[in-house]
Amino acid sequence: MSVAAGTHQPAQPRDDGITFASKILLLHLGVVNAVLCLFYLMFYAASLLRLLPVALDAMDVACLLFGLCFNTLHSIALWTLCALNFDRYFAIATPLHYGTFINTKKVRYCVVCGKIFPCSSVLD
């Protein structure tokens, strides 16, 4: 019987969905902010380089499109920040019941609602 020294592997931390909810929210916030920055840079660079046609109608359409993207993406980012703050609040205030309050299904539902409500309010 031979025993190899040093072959014991340390136990890996278990990821049972509790930290996955926070990761979804952080990833969503990062993607929304990246898209927001991309839209801002795209429209700002186009106006600086005067790539938009001089016609008034084209400028109006570009301005409306920029306003729609800017307001919608900011609203989505704020909804995501609120959800992230609720996630952290429940993790700190009720650590033993965190899994019943926050799970992946509820977080995905919150992310979808956070996309629907700002879009519907901007389109009114």
Side-chain angles (χ1 to χ4, degrees):
M1 224 173 167
S2 66
V3 176
T7 59
H8 177 67
Q9 297 290 330
Q12 296 292 328
R14 192 174 64 119
D15 187 21
D16 53 351
I18 291 176
T19 59
F20 188 67
S22 296
K23 289 178 185 176
I24 289 175
L25 290 171
L26 286 172
L27 178 67
H28 184 259
L29 183 64
V31 167
V32 166
N33 284 333
V35 170
L36 180 66
C37 290
L38 182 69
F39 274 126
Y40 183 74
L41 287 175
M42 185 176 64
F43 281 106
Y44 191 67
S47 68
L48 273 181
L49 299 174
R50 300 198 175 152
L51 296 175
L52 295 173
V54 185
L56 188 60
D57 291 337
M59 294 295 279
D60 286 344
V61 169
C63 185
L64 286 173
L65 185 62
F66 175 71
L68 176 73
C69 294
F70 193 74
N71 289 333
T72 303
L73 291 172
H74 266 290
S75 299
I76 291 172
L78 287 175
W79 273 90
T80 306
L81 278 174
C82 290
L84 197 56
N85 285 327
F86 276 119
D87 175 58
R88 293 294 88 209
Y89 169 76
F90 283 120
I92 293 169
T94 59
L96 297 177
H97 301 290
Y98 176 80
T100 59
F101 290 126
I102 307 291
N103 57 27
T104 342
K105 184 179 177 183
K106 290 179 184 177
V107 169
R108 288 183 182 154
Y109 178 74
C110 180
V111 166
V112 169
C113 287
K115 288 182 181 179
I116 291 173
F117 289 133
C119 291
S120 66
S121 66
V122 169
L123 295 177
D124 284 341

